[in-house]
Amino acid sequence: MKNSELETMRKSFDTVKKRSSSIKDSPSIKRLTSRVQEIKKYSYDNKEELFNQALESFERNGIECRFAKTSQDALDIIDDLIEEYDAEVIAKAKSNTLGEIDLKNHLDIDVVETDLGDRILQLKKTDNKPVHPTGPASHLNVDEITGIVNESLDVDVDPEPTEIMKAVRSDVLKRLENATVGISGANAIASEEGSVVMVHNEGNISIVSLKDLHIIVAGIDKIVPTLEDAISVVKLETVFATGNYVTSYMNVISGPSKTADIEKKLIKNMYGAERVVVILLDNGRSQAIEECLYCIGCGNCIVHCPVYNAVGNEFGFNNYLGGRGVAMSKFIEDDETCFDSGLYMCTLCGLCTLNCPLSIPTNEILENMRKLSTDVGFYPKAHYKIKDNVLNRDSPY
């Protein structure tokens, strides 16, 4: 990342810190934090039971559910679904999981980001990796964004946020006029009710969910016991991600669009999706360290991480940024990817853990992973030289 981008990112992170610090230590948020910690622990300990219950609940609600062992399995399922609808354009909501499976690069059709930050990065075309899970373009200042929008959309807006927003919004809505497929991730899944919970401020997920086919891709780690638990998870995520108590919108999707307003006879496909398909993704999660799966995706760890603030999104894996992303890369990909993602960048200071609402011990996880990485031959070249010097000269020099 450029120095100017790092500076803008740090300013954005400082804004998040100030907002969240005013509420995260309140009694109500502390109670919520403790509750979510219990929810995530229980969900992990009972993951097989909750997974099977979710399958039954989805079927009861008329939601189709598919299981994807790998990212390629998920992409194959999506390909088949899109082919059924002969889709030429897809409405996409912000999703780290879709970034994990590299959906946009896989598809040959037009995938339109509906989130403003993600759409700005999409228009940027190159060097457009996000820097925060809820604020993907937090490293770009208003002048840079203006240049990107004007060049990509062939418009002439002034460097003013409202004008930029209107130009991007108009372009997105025009491109999606004939879209029949929407695709999104999920913030939490309620196993008992068979409900998917998504939070957003822009209203864009509502647009995505109103397409004829709504595809939802979510990791198996998103499953919690009840809708009340799911709401608790997304509330806590909002506090630590944005510094607000709640987002503008909270969508709960429990089935396709339907009505029973004519003689109480159930009719499908009123205004929303005629078909909802949930793809539950494993992709290494079943082998992952327990604490890695507690993550609620708030990004508060990277906001406080000294390494991430120094180097930006070089530290992390795909859309999973910072130390937790490095840790997950081992299970999603392999040891070499984990090493390349920044395994040895971490200072092991533990600020990520101190500022994580789930107290995920990322520094301890990475320290243990370094030992395992060394055993299979992945460690810094400088360490290799030191090892050779010790063996050959009885000295590190």
Side-chain angles (χ1 to χ4, degrees), residues 81-131:
L81 291 168
I82 291 173
E83 187 176 352
E84 286 183 48
Y85 281 74
D86 196 24
E88 295 181 357
V89 60
I90 291 178
K92 178 184 173 295
K94 179 163 53 190
S95 166
N96 292 325
T97 312
L98 295 177
E100 172 188 335
I101 65 176
D102 202 18
L103 177 73
K104 284 187 291 188
N105 288 328
H106 170 76
L107 295 177
D108 292 328
I109 60 178
D110 189 16
V111 180
V112 180
E113 294 283 1
T114 58
D115 175 83
L116 179 58
D118 276 337
R119 183 58 177 163
I120 289 167
L121 292 181
Q122 188 175 35
L123 295 176
K124 192 172 184 285
K125 293 183 176 65
T126 60
D127 190 25
N128 58 356
K129 183 178 177 181
V131 298

Side-chain angles (χ1 to χ4, degrees), residues 32-213:
L32 179 63
T33 299
S34 296
R35 172 165 169 71
V36 173
Q37 289 175 346
E38 293 173 359
I39 290 168
K40 295 297 284 186
K41 173 64 176 173
Y42 178 89
S43 299
Y44 180 85
D45 290 342
N46 297 273
K47 54 185 179 292
E48 291 184 11
E49 176 186 340
L50 293 176
F51 178 86
N52 291 328
Q53 184 184 41
L55 297 182
E56 294 175 0
S57 298
F58 282 141
E59 183 178 3
R60 181 187 66 234
N61 293 346
I63 294 177
E64 299 173 42
C65 187
R66 314 283 177 84
F67 173 69
K69 180 67 176 176
T70 66
S71 59
Q72 188 58 54
D73 290 340
L75 292 170
D76 290 343
I77 294 169
I78 293 169
D79 285 341
D80 291 341
L81 291 168
I82 291 173
E83 187 176 352
E84 286 183 48
Y85 281 74
D86 196 24
E88 295 181 357
V89 60
I90 291 178
K92 178 184 173 295
K94 179 163 53 190
S95 166
N96 292 325
T97 312
L98 295 177
E100 172 188 335
I101 65 176
D102 202 18
L103 177 73
K104 284 187 291 188
N105 288 328
H106 170 76
L107 295 177
D108 292 328
I109 60 178
D110 189 16
V111 180
V112 180
E113 294 283 1
T114 58
D115 175 83
L116 179 58
D118 276 337
R119 183 58 177 163
I120 289 167
L121 292 181
Q122 188 175 35
L123 295 176
K124 192 172 184 285
K125 293 183 176 65
T126 60
D127 190 25
N128 58 356
K129 183 178 177 181
V131 298
H132 188 274
T134 63
S138 299
H139 59 306
L140 300 175
N141 63 40
V142 68
D143 290 325
E144 291 170 319
I145 293 172
T146 302
I148 292 167
V149 171
N150 283 340
E151 180 181 351
S152 300
L153 302 183
D154 193 23
V155 294
D156 186 22
V157 300
D158 293 326
E160 201 280 320
T162 301
E163 283 197 37
I164 295 169
M165 179 196 72
K166 288 180 178 179
V168 175
R169 180 182 64 194
S170 176
D171 176 72
V172 167
L173 292 176
K174 183 178 180 180
R175 289 176 179 274
L176 295 181
E177 285 178 351
N178 298 315
T180 57
V181 177
I183 186 165
S184 72
N187 295 89
I189 294 174
S191 174
E192 182 177 301
E193 292 85 355
S195 300
V196 181
V197 179
M198 306 171 188
V199 292
H200 52 121
N201 282 312
E202 298 176 11
N204 62 305
I205 288 179
S206 298
I207 295 173
V208 170
S209 66
L210 290 175
K211 301 305 176 185
D212 295 343
L213 168 66

Side-chain angles (χ1 to χ4, degrees), residues 374-391:
T374 300
D375 291 341
V376 294
F378 293 108
Y379 49 88
K381 292 180 180 178
H383 293 189
Y384 185 84
K385 291 180 181 178
I386 292 171
K387 184 192 76 169
D388 273 0
N389 288 341
V390 170
L391 286 175

Side-chain angles (χ1 to χ4, degrees), residues 294-341:
Y294 290 173
C295 180
I296 58 175
C298 67
N300 202 46
C301 53
I302 61 173
V303 167
H304 291 85
C305 173
V307 174
Y308 196 87
N309 276 266
V311 303
N313 55 21
E314 292 177 30
F315 183 39
F317 169 72
N318 285 356
N319 285 45
Y320 298 124
L321 306 167
R324 191 260 177 178
V326 174
M328 280 303 296
S329 71
K330 174 182 173 66
F331 308 106
I332 293 173
E333 294 286 341
D334 50 34
D335 289 295
E336 184 175 6
T337 302
C338 183
F339 174 78
D340 292 338
S341 298

